[in-house]
Structures are given as structure tokens and as C-alpha cells.
């Protein structure tokens, strides 16, 4: 199995940037599709970004395209989410997730981290 731990959340002003990190352990990291999700108060969890096992393919929610970038370093067993030009509506708990297979944009990820809070002030 895979254990995931997020870090890098915090408070940032609108227009600012933040980089989230997700450290994975337990199995071969490169065997898994990796994704980032978020959940704002009173809202359902939503897919934010995901990356294929090799990093050759990515998917993004329309709301973050051009602002967020997902990347992975398989040698370090770490996936990142670089968030630029942050908006108040980006405020949420952000979760790192992992799954087997090929599909990236799906809610059916197997393993989940505990989440890290991102708050964007207006």
C-alpha cells in the first residue's frame, strides 16, 4: 500500500503562490497515478490535477488550468502542486491521492493523505 503525507499549505494573499508537496512511502511510487483534490467548506470534494505514472500526461480542472502545475519526482517519491495566481475560491483542504491504472481524471483514487489547509485572503 501507499502512505501519503501532504505539506506546504498555509495562508497566502490573492495573487500569491504556494507549493504543496506530497511524500509517498510503502510501495513503488512510479507504479501509481498521482492526483490532487480539494474540498472547500460545504462543498463536495473535487479533482484538481493529476499526473500519469511516468509524468508524460496530466489533467487539470478547468478552474485551475494555467495557474496550477502538477509534477512528480519518482526518485524522491514526491508529487508537487505549484499554485500560482491564487484566488479566494481556491481556499480548501487539499488532498494528495494515488491509484493504480491509467485513468487520471477520476474520483476513484485508492490512497489518500490527511490533507493540508490552503487559505487565500482577498
Amino acid at each position: 500500500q501507499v502512505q501519503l503525507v501532504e505539506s506546504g499549505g498555509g495562508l497566502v494573499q490573492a495573487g500569491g503562490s504556494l507549493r504543496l508537496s506530497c511524500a509517498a512511502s510503502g510501495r513503488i511510487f512510479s507504479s501509481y497515478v498521482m492526483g490532487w483534490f480539494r474540498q472547500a467548506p460545504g462543498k463536495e470534494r473535487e479533482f484538481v490535477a493529476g499526473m500519469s505514472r511516468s509524468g508524460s500526461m496530466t489533467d487539470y480542472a478547468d478552474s485551475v488550468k494555467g495557474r496550477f502545475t502538477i509534477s512528480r519526482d519518482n526518485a524522491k517519491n514526491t508529487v508537487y502542486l505549484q499554485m500560482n495566481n491564487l484566488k479566494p475560491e481556491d481556499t480548501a483542504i487539499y488532498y494528495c491521492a494515488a491509484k493504480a491504472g491509467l485513468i487520471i481524471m477520476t474520483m476513484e483514487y485508492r490512497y489518500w493523505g490527511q490533507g493540508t489547509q490552503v487559505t487565500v485572503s482577498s
Side-chain angles (χ1 to χ4, degrees):
Q1 64 179 22
V2 176
Q3 297 175 346
L4 306 171
V5 179
E6 303 96 333
S7 62
L11 175 65
V12 64
Q13 291 183 324
S17 298
L18 207 60
R19 188 182 75 163
L20 305 183
S21 298
C22 174
S25 63
R27 297 191 71 177
I28 300 174
F29 181 67
S30 60
S31 297
Y32 294 90
V33 174
M34 300 298 298
W36 286 96
F37 295 77
R38 67 187 181 188
Q39 187 167 19
K43 297 183 179 180
E44 295 294 321
R45 182 186 63 191
E46 65 174 333
F47 175 87
V48 175
M51 176 169 278
S52 62
R53 292 169 293 180
S54 66
S56 61
M57 293 182 290
T58 58
D59 270 322
Y60 295 93
D62 289 341
S63 59
V64 307
K65 287 181 179 177
R67 299 190 299 119
F68 290 11
T69 303
I70 186 172
S71 61
R72 67 190 296 165
D73 187 337
N74 288 344
K76 296 181 179 179
N77 288 356
T78 302
V79 62
Y80 305 94
L81 185 67
Q82 179 67 47
M83 305 184 293
N84 298 326
N85 192 24
L86 283 161
K87 304 175 180 180
E89 50 263 44
D90 294 319
T91 295
I93 300 175
Y94 283 71
Y95 298 91
C96 177
K99 64 181 293 293
L102 299 175
I103 304 299
I104 299 172
M105 187 176 288
T106 175
M107 300 300 293
E108 298 181 356
Y109 279 66
R110 174 72 177 268
Y111 305 103
W112 297 84
Q114 80 286 353
T116 184
Q117 177 70 47
V118 172
T119 302
V120 184
S121 62
S122 59

